[in-house]
Amino acid sequence: MAHPGSSHYVSIEPTLKKLAQQSDASDPGLAAEIANALSLLLDEKLSELQAAALLALLHHRNKDKDVNVISEWSFWTGTKRADNIWADWQCDISGTGGNAAAIISVAAVASVLASSMLLIAQHGYLSATSPTSSANTEDILSNIKPNAPLLAKVTAERVPEIYKRSNYAFLPERNFAPEMQHANRIRLGLGIRTIFDLTSTLLHPIHASCVLEARVVGVANPVLGPVLAQAIQNMGVRKALVVCGNDSMDIISPEGSTSCWMVRDLPAEDNGSGIQEFRLQPRDFGLSENPLTSIEAKGSFDQEAVVLSRVLHNQLSDDDPVLQCVLMHIAALFVTSGICDTSQEDANAERGPGGGRWKEGVRLARSCIASGEALKALETFAYVSSQLD
């Protein structure tokens, strides 16, 4: 790494001054400057001092929530695509961090179970503001007993081989976004929420080769819901659901209302943008409400691995709060992907908020567990990763 003052670094002093002066923060060209500065940060062309100042000022000026900044940044990530296509129809489910409470890694568990019916490309990335280290999916999967996937072997050139035999692939940040390592050191040192806690979802490695078919993304600030939905739409994702639970949780709330923004190919029903806004309740899934405390994380990744294992082995009761929360998220991805619309189960033909067959999604999710197909999906990924050269 270059030393301070080295010609390796590029100065963004004009941009920092604009951010530091409230009167200049409305400059119409500032969003493009910020996107450029963030790209320089990831390329390690900013000194750590200027990089830290950039992230702190973006947070202080609320520019990390600005639709123009997010849109400009999503455009920049969209230009990074390569020509190699891994496969079609991949889906993922993720959160953007920032929760006030330490909850189980719902997206990590749901993504594994959903892979029994969908092709999943799950992206693993670091949240600088996570209340507990157990939120890192890589650590959870690495501690699954008795046979954990060998994630160090999962690299971009090996993904095509994985998808020949497995519906599930976990893409570790260290292997697929090494440029984030420099940024992560600074983010963790700052100890505050930064723009990368939100935009890491936009840096999904699948966008380096093709477009995700369907996504469910949680955001911890309802103001950012439509912003993120628009950014995801701009990147070409065909179907997406952005959710924000009550108390500003980046999950579907187990105890109350969840704000939702649906992106899909169907004609827009409200604002002409192709983004439909509605609210979900646990009862829309045919499930009961549970307090948020019932899904608190146990505090370590090995304990969360046990939770995932118990769900996969169908060892939780039907009314278990953890299971019900996971079922809602699997159902949300199933509904978003469109597979619930092709199901022939008449008992769950009714449509709920947003026109979704949420109860049918839960039925399909339960069947994935009861049949053992969800467990088989993870075991297959673990075996395939162990056989990679």
Side-chain angles (χ1 to χ4, degrees):
M1 181 176 292
H3 297 289
S6 166
S7 59
H8 172 84
Y9 292 123
V10 175
S11 175
I12 57 167
E13 183 178 345
T15 302
L16 294 177
K17 285 183 175 180
K18 289 180 182 179
L19 287 169
Q21 299 170 11
Q22 184 68 42
S23 59
D24 291 335
S26 60
D27 183 337
L30 187 56
E33 287 187 43
I34 292 171
N36 179 65
L38 290 171
S39 68
L40 291 172
L41 192 161
L42 292 182
D43 289 339
E44 296 191 50
K45 293 182 179 178
L46 296 185
S47 68
E48 291 201 4
L49 180 61
Q50 288 206 338
L54 173 65
L55 295 179
L57 284 169
L58 289 176
H59 177 79
H60 181 63
R61 295 299 187 197
N62 287 322
K63 287 296 181 181
D64 55 350
K65 305 178 183 70
D66 187 294
V67 62
N68 293 322
V69 173
I70 301 302
S71 296
E72 193 72 37
W73 181 238
S74 66
F75 173 78
W76 180 84
T77 60
T79 65
K80 301 285 283 186
R81 294 180 186 170
D83 293 330
N84 59 306
I85 302 298
W86 290 343
D88 291 325
W89 308 100
Q90 290 104 330
C91 306
D92 97 317
I93 178 170
S94 59
T96 57
N99 290 326
I103 58 175
I104 65 164
S105 298
V106 178
V109 180
S111 69
V112 174
L113 274 68
S115 67
S116 56
M117 296 193 72
L118 296 173
L119 193 65
I120 298 292
Q122 193 67 12
H123 178 29
Y125 58 87
L126 178 67
S127 171
T129 55
S130 172
T132 170
S133 61
S134 62
N136 295 322
T137 309
E138 181 174 352
D139 292 328
I140 298 172
L141 292 178
S142 296
N143 281 271
I144 286 290
K145 302 293 191 295
N147 300 311
L150 299 182
L151 300 180
K153 291 188 174 184
V154 181
T155 57
E157 61 272 15
R158 291 166 173 157
V159 167
E161 181 63 27
I162 292 173
Y163 279 135
K164 288 179 182 178
R165 294 182 282 171
S166 171
N167 267 17
Y168 184 83
F170 179 77
L171 316 176
E173 183 182 72
R174 59 179 169 149
N175 295 352
F176 288 83
E179 67 274 10
M180 283 298 300
Q181 301 309 303
H182 174 61
N184 287 343
R185 289 194 300 271
I186 299 166
R187 295 166 62 211
L188 292 172
L190 286 172
I192 60 174
R193 183 176 176 83
T194 73
I195 193 170
F196 285 119
D197 287 277
L198 174 65
T199 59
S200 287
T201 58
L202 300 179
L203 293 171
H204 193 294
I206 204 70
H207 285 299
S209 57
C210 54
V211 176
L212 285 163
E213 171 67 15
R215 304 193 70 182
V216 172
V217 179
V219 63
N221 185 332
V223 174
L224 294 177
V227 176
L228 192 58
Q230 186 65 63
I232 291 174
Q233 184 183 59
N234 291 345
M235 298 188 76
V237 177
R238 300 172 187 176
K239 305 165 188 172
L241 179 68
V242 178
V243 300
C244 181
N246 65 336
D247 297 323
S248 296
M249 304 295 294
D250 69 341
I251 61 170
I252 299 172
S253 174
E255 63 178 5
S257 181
T258 297
S259 299
C260 301
W261 297 266
M262 177 75 83
V263 176
R264 52 188 172 187
D265 295 332
L266 298 177
E269 297 182 16
D270 54 348
N271 59 11
S273 67
I275 299 175
Q276 182 184 11
E277 185 174 353
F278 55 92
R279 302 186 77 84
L280 281 173
Q281 306 276 351
R283 64 174 176 269
D284 295 318
F285 296 88
L287 302 172
S288 58
E289 292 188 9
N290 294 289
L292 192 61
T293 54
S294 66
I295 60 167
E296 286 182 346
K298 302 301 182 182
S300 64
F301 46 76
D302 55 335
Q303 289 174 302
E304 286 217 39
V306 171
V307 172
L308 171 57
S309 180
R310 292 191 67 197
V311 174
L312 287 169
H313 284 87
N314 201 18
Q315 295 175 342
L316 300 180
S317 63
D318 286 348
D319 60 353
D320 184 274
V322 170
L323 175 62
Q324 292 207 7
C325 188
V326 170
L327 288 173
M328 286 195 295
H329 287 79
I330 301 172
L333 186 54
F334 284 171
V335 168
T336 304
S337 71
I339 63 173
C340 290
D341 293 329
T342 63
S343 172
Q344 301 302 313
E345 182 64 37
D346 293 336
N348 295 308
E350 66 180 85
R351 294 188 179 274
R357 297 180 64 190
W358 311 101
K359 293 178 182 178
E360 175 62 7
V362 169
R363 186 192 72 82
L364 292 174
R366 287 192 186 276
S367 71
C368 293
I369 300 173
S371 66
E373 289 301 311
L375 175 61
K376 181 181 177 181
L378 181 59
E379 290 178 337
T380 299
F381 175 59
Y383 175 76
V384 170
S385 65
S386 71
Q387 299 300 303
L388 296 172
D389 294 331

